[in-house]
Structure formats: C-alpha cells, structure tokens
Amino acid sequence: MKKKLNKIIIIGLAIVMVTFIFYKKITDNNPYNDFKNISINESLNQKDKSYYLYYYMKDCYYCNLIKEDMFNFAKKHKNIYFVDIDKYKNQRIKYDWESFNTKNDKEIGYSKDGKSITYYEGESEDKYLHTKEKNKYGKTKMYEIVIADKEYKNENKNAKLGKVYAKEIIPEIDYSKYKYGDKLIIAGSPTLLHVTNGKIDDFYFDSRDIGEYVRGEK
C-alpha cells in the first residue's frame, strides 16, 4: 500500500513538472528574445559608440505590424537593443498624450453618420496624411483622421462628438537632453531611438514612422 502511494505521488509530481515545463515554454515563446534585450535603465549605458534602442510589447498590435521589418533590420544592424516596456513599467515616465492631443489636434470637418466625412474649405485627408510640416524638434508630423466619439473625447478634451479631427501621432519629446541615469519618457510602443556617444540623436515612433525608416523608405 505504501509503495503504491509513493508511486502515485511520484507520478503526480512528474505530471506537475511536465505541465510546468510546457506552460513555461508557451509563456516564454517570445521571438524578441532571439535578439539582445536589456532593461530601460540600461538604455544609455551601452558600450557601443552608436546603437539603436527598440521599445516594444510582445502583444502590441502596432509592434506586430512591423515585427518582421524590425527583425530583418536587427539582423543587418547588430548594434540594436530590444526593450520590453511591459516588463519595466515603473522605469519609464509616461507621455501626457491627453494634453498633447488636446493642444495640437485640429478640427477639420464633420460627419453626420459617423462614417462619411465632409471637410471644411481648405482641408482634406491628403493634406494631413502627406504633410511635410515639422514639429519644434524637427520631426515630420504625422496624423490620422478621426471622427470624434466618446473614446476620442478622452484623448482630446476639446473634441466635439461628430466633428472630424487631424490627430497628431508623433509625440514632441526633447530626447537630446537625456543622459545616463535619467528616467526616459517613452510615449508608447513601438518606439525606436538612436544613440551616439551616450546621447539620443534621433527617434521614430509608431509603426508607420518606424516601418518607413527600417525599410529604407525615409
């Protein structure tokens, strides 16, 4: 009876171990781990004279849009470090998107049915989706066209339901001021930074901006 009990215990432990290993394998299935990963606090602490920092989240929709582009870019540029910002939430300063969008988004038309858009005179989708306008840090602005709903009103406090807005999607951040030891502002994922001699000298944000850069379209 005792031997039978021991056998049951051993089998039970074996099942638990196999289940744990299988679960760990599934949860650790992160393709970004094939590349060099660091913490946010190590961002400006690398020995390379020139390197890239890519901030992502494994399940981020916009990161997944350019995942293969980033992997191809990383294979060509060995001096790139990946940072999973979901792991290091407390090591970054969040960007104030509400204040930014409330201040900068532009009302450019209206929609009566929530689908079709009537633009004001002088306004158009093309004007904003292909803009060459620069922000105060020299980055080309990027927009998306939004019909204001309750969700968007949480992003832009000046928004009126049914009105159409050109929503700015490139944050205004002065990365040139950061040095080793500073807590970085990361506006979200994906974000791509370039560092030279310990200083951030260029950045790209959102799948469209980053995708164009890593594919050599900029």
Side-chain angles (χ1 to χ4, degrees):
M1 182 71 179
K2 189 175 181 181
K3 288 183 179 179
K4 188 175 181 181
L5 182 61
N6 288 339
K7 189 175 181 181
I8 291 171
I9 292 172
I10 292 170
I11 292 172
L13 288 172
I15 291 171
V16 171
M17 284 297 294
V18 169
T19 303
F20 173 76
I21 292 169
F22 181 70
Y23 172 77
K24 193 166 184 354
K25 187 175 181 181
I26 291 174
T27 53
D28 286 350
N29 185 24
N30 183 353
Y32 293 95
N33 288 338
D34 292 338
F35 302 93
K36 292 178 284 190
N37 276 256
I38 61 174
S39 73
I40 289 181
N41 286 343
E42 298 174 293
S43 292
L44 301 179
N45 190 30
Q46 302 308 308
K47 294 179 180 179
D48 311 69
K49 182 179 179 181
S50 172
Y51 60 93
Y52 292 94
L53 295 161
Y54 182 64
Y55 300 86
Y56 72 94
M57 290 192 291
K58 189 178 75 168
D59 298 320
C60 160
Y61 171 77
Y62 295 101
C63 299
N64 286 332
L65 288 179
I66 56 169
K67 185 168 66 175
E68 294 306 319
D69 290 325
M70 280 309 307
F71 291 167
N72 290 332
F73 185 78
K75 289 170 184 174
K76 295 175 185 175
H77 300 79
K78 302 300 181 183
N79 58 337
I80 180 168
Y81 298 89
F82 288 75
V83 184
D84 184 351
I85 62 173
D86 205 30
K87 278 186 180 179
Y88 306 104
K89 293 176 181 176
N90 298 325
Q91 294 182 12
R92 69 183 175 105
I93 301 172
K94 290 186 177 180
Y95 190 67
D96 187 355
W97 279 107
E98 182 185 306
S99 295
F100 177 76
N101 289 125
T102 299
K103 177 183 176 183
N104 294 289
D105 291 4
K106 302 173 184 178
E107 184 183 326
I108 60 173
Y110 62 89
S111 176
K112 291 182 177 179
D113 59 7
K115 296 177 183 178
S116 58
I117 295 173
T118 300
Y119 290 98
Y120 298 144
E121 185 177 350
E123 303 288 11
S124 69
E125 180 182 57
D126 186 70
K127 175 181 176 180
Y128 293 96
L129 296 190
H130 300 96
T131 183
K132 300 297 182 184
E133 186 183 1
K134 304 281 186 181
N135 68 19
K136 62 182 179 181
Y137 299 117
K139 288 289 294 178
T140 301
K141 294 184 177 185
M142 294 180 76
Y143 295 89
E144 62 179 336
I145 306 303
V146 177
I147 298 173
D149 55 13
K150 289 181 180 179
E151 184 178 344
Y152 177 68
K153 280 177 64 67
N154 291 328
E155 300 173 27
N156 176 0
K157 295 304 181 183
N158 292 330
K160 305 178 188 72
L161 292 176
K163 298 296 185 181
V164 175
Y165 294 84
K167 176 184 174 182
E168 276 203 52
I169 59 175
I170 299 296
E172 290 186 339
I173 302 173
D174 183 10
Y175 276 117
S176 65
K177 68 181 182 180
Y178 288 99
K179 59 185 184 300
Y180 172 64
D182 289 343
K183 216 171 188 180
L184 293 176
I185 293 179
I186 303 297
S189 62
T191 293
L192 179 68
L193 305 179
H194 184 263
V195 180
T196 302
N197 295 324
K199 291 283 189 179
I200 299 168
D201 55 12
D202 210 352
F203 90 97
Y204 303 88
F205 179 79
D206 190 73
S207 57
R208 183 175 144 206
D209 191 30
I210 296 171
E212 289 176 358
Y213 176 74
V214 299
R215 290 192 300 267
E217 297 170 7
K218 280 187 174 286

